[in-house]
Amino acid sequence: MSDRETAGASVGIESPGSVDIELSLAPVSDPAWLIVEEGLTLAREHEIESIFAIANGHIGTRAALEEGSRLSQAETFAAGVYVDVPPSGLGPTLAVLPDWTHLEIAVDGQRLSMESGRVLEHRRILDLRQAVLWREWRQQDPSGRTTRIRFLRLASLQDRHALLQSVTVTAENYSGQIELVACLALPETRNKRAQLTISRDAAIVVMLAGETRIAMAMRSIPPPTREAQKPSRERAVDRLEERWSWEASLGESVCLHRVVTVYTSRDQVDPAGSAQLEVTKILDRGVSSLVRAHADAWSRRWSIGDVRIAGDDQAQRALRFAVYHLTAAANPADEHASIGARGLTGGAYRGHVFWDTEIYMLPFYLLTQPAAARALLMYRYHTLDAARRKARAFGYMGALYAWESADTGEEATPQEIVAPDGSVVRILTGEQEHHVSADIAYAVWQYWRATGDDDFMVEAGCDILVETARFWASRAWMEADGRAHIRAVIGPDEYHETVDDNAYTNAMARWNLDRAADAMAILKRERPAEWEQSSSRLALEDDEPAAWRRTAAALVTGFHPDTGLFEQFEGYFGLEEIDIPSHQSGAAPLDVFLGPRRTRQTKAIKQADVVALCALLWDEWPRAVHEANFNYYEPRTAHGSSLSPSTHALVAARLGDGERALRYLRQAEEIDLANYMGNAAGGVHMGSLAGLWQAAVLGVAGIRIREDGIALDPHLPPGWTEMRCSVQWRRQVVKLTFAANPVRIGVEVEGSGELTIAIIDGPSCRAHSGRPYSVGLEGSAWGAWRGVDQ
Amino acid sequence: MGRLAGGRPMTAVPTLVVPLDGSSKALAALPVARGLSHLMGATVTLVHVSDEALSPDELLDRIKLSSTEVRGLIIEQRTGSPADAIVNAAAGRHAALIVMCAPARSDAMYPLGSVPADVLRKAKCPVVLVPVSRGRRPWTLRQLALPHDGTPTSAVAIAPTADLATRAGAELVVIHVAMPSASRPTEPGTLAVPRYADQLHHELPMWAREFLERVRSASHPADMGKLRLVVAQGDISAAILEFAQRNASDLIALAWRGCLEPERAQTIRRVMRGACCPVIIFRVQS
């Protein structure tokens, strides 16, 4: 069933600003800003779609071929929009939006496809700097005609509801009829109540995803040839098509732009009306204006977020890749959505949110885009009621956050799954992995102390700290030995379940309890009026903070003063030793071979657990403790989690072990970008990318947040001759340069005010904007800071 | 239409070449050849290599078949080196397959015997090796086991295998074996058991779906009706043989990179030595 409509001459041409056909845009020339995939390896297509995805924190679109292929997964996602219809037993999953990217080109009736004729050139280029996906394709059809096609795609960072697709088609060695068909297609899993309409101003698709209405409006700026100005439009049950055809002259290039706007009922009451209005406004202002604003927004992000490495091109590329995806995943304006394990680049992990967000990703936003960090923490505030319910359901007080959550904060971890052999396997992480509550409290505290955002603290942060502290106070049991114990948990090392007194969990719980008590004291002292309101709202009893401190002091941490080691959990030291390298050489997770039961009997651990604790609470213990624990646990770590290599890189860097830092940096760099593992097929690993950034900025540069500024402890690994990065502290941006030979640190501050720049175990200075500072290593000791007169 | 040889459709009726050396054991290949020819719409060409000039009756007597048993078959007599003669006969007829028996040998270095090994090395088309132990039982394709290591090179075997399975309405079981000692893959586009499994209940189903989607896309245009993935671990050949035996597989399909030297190609040598069912071998570019 179709409606055939022929658009009038007014479509897309009325607004003068829209007739700026040629965009002055090209990929940047510096290859250090480009991820390039030459040719087409169909088997890798899903990985490529993830790696080259575009996003802006509100919308994300995979880099599927415009014309599709046997393997294409042309998916677009909207942050915070989940469906669980029909119920899967696996929790909600990110909804797939209509495909706005599908484009087909036919020459004299022959559809161009990479599977027929000859591919003369094909490459996809992700321009990290400008956040633009390019595709360059030259195809010789079976008749010998060569057509050059260049695609461009972006998700505007300035206007997060706007998407742009442009295509330029050139008839290289022929003249003939070219037809271009642009589609707006419903996903296969669509709700059957979708509506597709064509109005004078736009083609609009409205669909329902769960309870959320999603609207996409599309307007095209047609090719400026007389014939092509009158596209035909066709509406089928599941798609809208616009067709342009023109008689191309030899060598003629014709360009088409499509602007798409996306609104959901999370944004607006009338998403369709808003989408239609917005797309009209964009065309009125002109596509060039959209592109310029997008590029400017990214330029501002890169001015703070960029990490420049001299001497290691692979690391440079991987770090910029990480910063690109981290920036593309966040939306500072949305407090009701967080960042899932794969961001908006793929449907793997169903878009669920894990501790990865607070422990791995949040530090990046905290130090480069604090507003985004705040929004992520507000998501946890807005889902606090769900955490309270979970705690009560388990018989505890306070808030126990979901191990996996979607939009509501309810626990989304399945309780069991059916294994490939038909057996039913219990999933215990949702029941036992409780450290997530302390992880969130940790992130709240870091944000507060780094930004000084007292308003956030009194409105939301203290609720999180109080309720998580209450949880731990109820979770930890005083036992006959006079100590408090937390039993039957899973720590970060998920190879060992139902363990007692996991060091990470207990130490983070203790820290949580102490910081909650500190926060109450600070707020009471510095914001007494708001503190009164908060404590009333939370029904805080006078003796609660003191009780938290007592519980904290009583908690077992597993620390052995004689060895300086933390016992990962009670009984860990008595487990069987296992030689990790002889059991695997990087091919697959250890527990797949040994089986979960056998793995549990050994000391093999899945990922950084005690090592992660060291990374997070570095200042709690002396360096010797970190060194002892890293040397003990590192050889026993199987790195079955993508989060593990980067944590090990960070700790190795801080310990000055450049060789191991570099080895683990490489492992982390390759998780998504290597072409022989297929890891990224379902989306890029957001936690791992963030961990890589942390390894560089918090590990190699050794940056730490302090109350009065930042501290530095650089250890550049072998081959790195220089590293530059920027961090934001309060309202100041600190630009840092670390040089290897000679060892020097350069600092420039932008913004008002002063801050302390300190070298760990070295000199400090009060720095303010307008004057660069530097310090050098003189022998084995740092010299004095010098302000450089400009 | 036969598609296996070179993957291109042929204008003539395809044929399957079945070498018979005159032994009773060699006849084990015939029921399998008949079954495959039925699926592929192919003829069967029996090839006997001898330097003697035999009359038709003598030839039948030599290959131990009656005139009734050879009705509908083509019979060819060739001279010279057996392996070369077989390969030349197949090449001359643009054979879709060579179907021959693989005598069981305890020799670990040469598990096939020199003639099958030479045929395998020199043939331009896939070779089906039939264990002698099958005897002359009829053969039907109901389940086809396809070990696949996840590399694009090995994926070349998927399309012809899927084609066979589709023609027979058989179940295609893709077997992926994870080896503890396996080194990191190096071939771009490889998909092995995931190196990182952050949350197993998400990771493994996702990986399995991806693996099967890649298999489906490689089997284009065959419509994969019954497709299943089995993940095993440990020694590859042992896992393949164990699966095939336990599930009574009718055919094992192997992608072979062209080496049979003792220190290499362990999997193919062990599978060919231990299989209870026929093994079809597709030579792929290394």
Side-chain angles (χ1 to χ4, degrees):
Chain A
M1 180 164 56
S2 71
D3 263 337
R4 193 169 273 281
E5 298 178 33
T6 302
S10 61
V11 171
I13 309 178
E14 279 181 346
S15 309
S18 65
V19 191
D20 52 346
I21 299 307
E22 294 299 322
L23 299 175
S24 300
L25 197 62
V28 297
S29 56
D30 183 353
W33 285 102
L34 305 177
I35 307 290
V36 182
E37 179 72 10
E38 290 281 352
L40 178 72
T41 305
L42 193 62
R44 292 199 64 218
E45 188 60 10
H46 289 170
E47 302 164 52
I48 300 300
E49 290 173 354
S50 303
I51 291 167
F52 287 73
I54 55 166
N56 60 16
H58 177 58
I59 301 292
T61 294
R62 291 171 61 83
L65 300 175
E66 282 76 3
E67 71 280 10
S69 72
R70 279 176 273 144
L71 262 185
S72 290
Q73 221 168 35
E75 292 175 332
T76 293
F77 308 100
V81 180
Y82 293 84
V83 290
D84 197 9
V85 178
S88 63
L90 299 172
T93 189
L94 272 179
V96 176
L97 273 57
D99 177 20
W100 60 280
T101 64
H102 193 83
L103 266 177
E104 295 177 11
I105 300 166
V107 176
D108 284 339
Q110 276 193 358
R111 185 169 168 264
L112 288 183
S113 165
M114 296 181 73
E115 297 186 64
S116 71
R118 204 166 134 227
V119 179
L120 301 176
E121 268 180 59
H122 186 261
R123 70 182 61 81
R124 277 173 282 195
I125 302 169
L126 181 62
D127 181 335
L128 303 171
R129 174 97 196 156
Q130 302 181 98
V132 174
L133 171 64
W134 304 90
R135 180 180 171 210
E136 299 172 348
W137 177 23
R138 286 179 70 231
Q139 182 74 16
Q140 185 180 75
D141 67 22
S143 305
R145 290 172 294 225
T146 299
T147 308
R148 188 171 70 241
I149 309 115
R150 192 183 224 203
F151 297 94
L152 170 164
R153 200 189 287 183
L154 63 85
S156 173
L157 194 65
Q158 181 61 27
D159 178 353
R160 293 179 198 262
H161 300 281
L163 306 160
L164 173 67
Q165 179 186 50
S166 299
V167 56
T168 304
V169 184
T170 304
E172 273 197 7
N173 64 348
Y174 64 93
S175 52
Q177 191 76 9
I178 294 181
E179 185 181 60
L180 197 153
V181 182
C183 305
L184 197 52
L186 290 173
E188 287 178 9
T189 53
R190 71 189 183 285
N191 183 289
K192 289 183 172 39
R193 285 156 55 192
Q195 296 171 324
L196 299 92
T197 56
I198 300 174
S199 74
R200 190 167 169 274
D201 295 325
I204 301 173
V205 168
V206 180
M207 61 172 263
L208 208 57
E211 299 296 314
T212 307
R213 272 173 297 122
I214 298 166
M216 268 192 178
M218 177 185 75
R219 278 190 66 174
S220 306
I221 302 173
T225 64
R226 197 153 38 87
E227 281 177 63
Q229 286 180 350
K230 294 183 182 177
S232 67
R233 285 173 166 166
E234 191 168 318
R235 183 178 66 203
V237 170
D238 62 348
R239 60 202 279 136
L240 295 168
E241 290 183 354
E242 285 186 342
R243 293 171 181 269
W244 289 267
S245 64
W246 64 93
E247 186 69 23
S249 307
L250 175 67
E252 181 185 9
S253 293
V254 169
C255 179
L256 170 81
H257 303 304
R258 300 170 75 199
V259 176
V260 176
T261 53
V262 183
Y263 278 83
T264 77
S265 50
R266 293 182 69 243
D267 314 310
Q268 298 286 339
V269 170
D270 176 17
S274 299
Q276 185 167 344
L277 195 62
E278 183 67 17
V279 77
T280 303
K281 281 186 192 170
I282 290 170
L283 263 68
D284 284 347
R285 288 193 296 264
V287 170
S288 290
S289 172
L290 176 74
V291 171
R292 259 196 313 276
H294 166 79
D296 287 347
W298 270 95
S299 182
R300 286 192 294 276
R301 293 268 51 82
W302 281 114
S303 70
I304 299 178
D306 191 21
V307 180
R308 289 165 59 179
I309 309 293
D312 189 340
D313 291 345
Q314 181 176 334
Q316 173 69 93
R317 196 161 147 273
L319 280 163
R320 282 184 171 152
F321 177 75
V323 172
Y324 164 80
H325 275 291
L326 287 165
T327 304
N331 183 358
D334 190 350
E335 294 184 354
H336 295 271
S338 185
I339 301 174
R342 305 299 175 94
L344 297 172
T345 68
Y349 286 64
R350 308 176 75 79
H352 289 179
V353 179
F354 295 80
W355 70 311
D356 309 19
T357 306
E358 283 74 26
I359 293 298
Y360 285 86
M361 300 182 223
L362 197 127
F364 167 79
Y365 301 112
L366 178 59
L367 292 179
T368 66
Q369 196 181 9
R374 189 184 202 277
L376 291 172
L377 293 171
M378 288 304 292
Y379 161 82
R380 291 297 192 182
Y381 170 71
H382 291 304
T383 55
L384 191 53
D385 280 346
R388 288 174 172 131
R389 285 193 292 275
K390 183 179 174 182
R392 278 200 298 279
F394 277 75
Y396 302 119
M397 308 291 289
L400 172 57
Y401 278 96
W403 176 242
E404 297 184 35
S405 61
D407 49 345
T408 65
E410 300 290 340
E411 182 60 71
T413 312
Q415 294 186 332
E416 59 188 30
I417 56 162
V418 179
D421 62 3
S423 61
V424 175
V425 177
R426 288 275 323 274
I427 306 297
L428 296 179
T429 47
E431 294 174 26
Q432 295 185 4
E433 203 148 356
H434 294 173
H435 64 79
V436 59
S437 277
D439 301 331
I440 292 165
Y442 177 90
V444 166
W445 179 269
Q446 300 302 319
Y447 171 80
W448 183 33
R449 302 325 287 159
T451 62
D453 187 353
D454 291 343
D455 290 342
F456 161 80
M457 203 57 191
V458 297
E459 289 166 16
C462 74
D463 292 47
I464 295 174
L465 284 183
V466 166
E467 295 289 27
T468 51
R470 283 173 170 166
F471 164 72
W472 291 117
S474 68
R475 184 67 174 82
W477 281 97
M478 291 297 294
E479 295 185 6
D481 62 353
R483 302 297 303 276
H485 300 265
I486 300 176
R487 301 198 180 274
V489 294
I490 300 174
D493 164 33
E494 290 161 344
Y495 286 171
H496 298 92
E497 300 174 329
T498 323
V499 299
D500 297 332
D501 290 329
N502 167 249
Y504 180 95
T505 303
N506 285 27
M508 291 293 282
R510 184 179 68 172
W511 191 92
N512 190 163
L513 289 159
D514 279 332
R515 295 297 82 73
D518 287 345
M520 297 303 99
I522 293 169
L523 288 175
K524 188 176 182 182
R525 183 179 67 239
E526 297 181 1
R527 300 282 284 260
E530 291 98 333
W531 179 83
E532 282 288 343
Q533 289 175 357
S534 298
S535 61
S536 173
R537 181 177 69 244
L538 293 165
L540 186 71
E541 300 195 4
D542 289 344
D543 64 345
E544 273 195 87
W548 299 338
R549 291 199 194 279
R550 286 194 297 273
T551 303
L555 260 173
V556 168
T557 61
F559 184 68
H560 290 240
D562 51 337
T563 59
L565 291 175
F566 285 92
E567 186 172 23
Q568 186 178 294
F569 53 81
E570 184 182 280
Y572 176 85
F573 287 149
L575 295 175
E576 180 189 334
E577 289 287 358
I578 186 168
D579 181 16
I580 303 283
S582 72
H583 278 77
Q584 65 176 67
S585 50
L590 183 76
D591 61 328
V592 169
F593 299 117
L594 293 186
R597 204 162 66 130
R598 178 84 183 89
T599 306
R600 268 200 296 277
Q601 295 166 346
T602 74
K603 286 191 174 123
I605 61 178
K606 178 181 179 182
Q607 64 190 77
D609 191 302
V610 170
V611 171
L613 179 64
C614 292
L616 294 176
L617 300 184
W618 192 266
D619 294 333
E620 296 276 309
W621 304 287
R623 179 198 163 88
V625 168
H626 301 307
E627 195 158 13
N629 283 280
F630 186 75
N631 288 334
Y632 183 85
Y633 285 103
E634 186 258 349
R636 294 169 173 86
T637 305
H639 304 289
S641 164
S642 65
L643 300 175
S644 194
S646 58
T647 306
H648 282 73
L650 185 156
V651 174
R654 283 187 182 169
L655 293 174
D657 187 339
E659 299 288 345
R660 278 197 285 189
L662 204 54
R663 176 155 50 93
Y664 283 114
L665 280 168
R666 286 285 179 260
Q667 274 189 39
E669 289 162 8
E670 291 173 351
I671 286 172
D672 286 318
L673 289 175
N675 61 5
Y676 49 78
M677 287 189 280
N679 290 333
V684 299
H685 293 68
M686 296 301 302
S688 168
L689 294 176
L692 180 65
W693 178 90
Q694 282 201 43
V697 175
L698 307 186
V700 172
I703 292 172
R704 312 242 247 287
I705 302 296
R706 295 282 186 265
E707 293 289 324
D708 59 351
I710 62 173
L712 312 171
D713 187 18
H715 297 279
L716 269 61
W720 289 28
T721 58
E722 186 180 272
M723 175 181 163
R724 295 186 185 213
C725 64
S726 302
V727 295
Q728 186 163 342
W729 183 87
R730 305 287 163 109
R731 298 193 179 281
Q732 293 153 307
V733 174
V734 185
K735 296 191 174 296
L736 298 152
T737 303
F738 305 91
N741 191 14
V743 178
R744 295 200 67 79
I745 302 174
V747 175
E748 288 189 54
V749 178
E750 295 173 0
S752 60
E754 285 187 334
L755 78 160
T756 300
I757 310 285
I759 297 178
I760 301 289
D761 299 328
S764 62
C765 74
R766 289 294 287 174
H768 52 83
S769 65
R771 194 179 186 204
Y773 300 82
S774 72
V775 65
L777 197 65
E778 296 166 7
S780 59
W782 290 95
W785 282 98
R786 290 168 42 204
V788 179
D789 290 320
Q790 290 185 308
Chain B
M1 295 283 278
R3 284 184 172 269
L4 290 173
R8 292 169 298 175
M10 295 173 228
T11 53
V13 175
T15 196
L16 311 185
V17 164
V18 182
L20 297 177
D21 63 2
S23 67
S24 302
K25 291 177 181 175
L27 293 172
L30 193 50
V32 177
R34 287 190 193 274
L36 286 168
S37 71
H38 175 70
L39 289 177
M40 298 166 64
T43 60
V44 173
T45 301
L46 306 179
V47 172
H48 177 68
V49 182
S50 169
D51 288 332
E52 299 174 62
L54 300 171
S55 67
D57 285 343
E58 286 171 333
L59 183 54
L60 286 179
D61 194 57
R62 176 68 60 87
I63 61 178
K64 296 182 170 52
L65 290 171
S66 69
S67 57
T68 308
E69 288 173 315
V70 300
R71 188 186 296 280
L73 308 184
I74 299 162
I75 305 173
E76 201 177 299
Q77 186 175 344
R78 291 240 175 178
T79 60
S81 137
D84 288 342
I86 293 164
V87 169
N88 290 338
R93 291 185 172 274
H94 300 288
L97 291 174
I98 296 171
V99 185
M100 62 191 299
C101 79
R105 288 168 63 103
S106 58
D107 186 339
M109 284 182 62
Y110 299 104
L112 299 179
S114 59
V115 173
D118 273 351
V119 168
L120 200 55
R121 282 195 194 91
K122 296 173 182 175
K124 298 283 186 274
C125 63
V127 176
V128 179
L129 294 174
V130 181
V132 166
S133 56
R134 273 209 95 253
R136 298 189 66 177
R137 286 178 286 130
W139 181 84
T140 306
L141 182 58
R142 284 171 293 242
Q143 187 194 78
L144 204 163
L146 171 63
H148 181 39
D149 61 7
T151 62
T153 299
S154 299
V156 171
I158 293 174
T161 308
D163 182 58
L164 267 180
T166 303
R167 288 170 184 272
E171 181 188 36
L172 178 58
V173 181
V174 179
I175 304 171
H176 183 76
V177 183
M179 288 194 304
S181 58
S183 53
R184 228 165 44 163
T186 56
E187 187 177 338
T190 297
L191 184 70
V193 170
R195 171 65 184 86
Y196 301 102
D198 295 335
Q199 301 289 300
L200 267 181
H201 57 277
H202 285 287
E203 202 78 44
L204 287 185
M206 178 181 70
W207 173 85
R209 271 195 306 275
E210 175 71 14
F211 198 89
L212 281 180
E213 277 198 55
R214 293 191 185 198
V215 168
R216 280 198 185 88
S217 77
S219 69
H220 178 78
D223 182 16
M224 308 279 291
K226 304 176 203 171
L227 177 65
R228 181 160 63 102
L229 173 65
V230 166
V231 180
Q233 55 178 296
D235 178 78
I236 295 180
S237 47
I240 295 166
L241 292 171
E242 197 257 338
F243 175 86
Q245 181 150 28
R246 189 160 37 87
N247 292 273
S249 300
D250 301 298
L251 186 64
I252 298 172
L254 290 180
W256 174 55
R257 295 174 192 236
C259 291
L260 282 177
E261 282 69 33
E263 61 282 357
R264 302 177 70 180
Q266 299 264 359
T267 300
I268 197 165
R269 289 166 55 242
R270 286 177 186 164
V271 170
M272 287 192 289
R273 190 165 73 231
C276 296
C277 65
V279 180
I280 182 170
I281 298 159
F282 298 97
R283 187 169 191 155
V284 297
Q285 288 290 333
S286 184

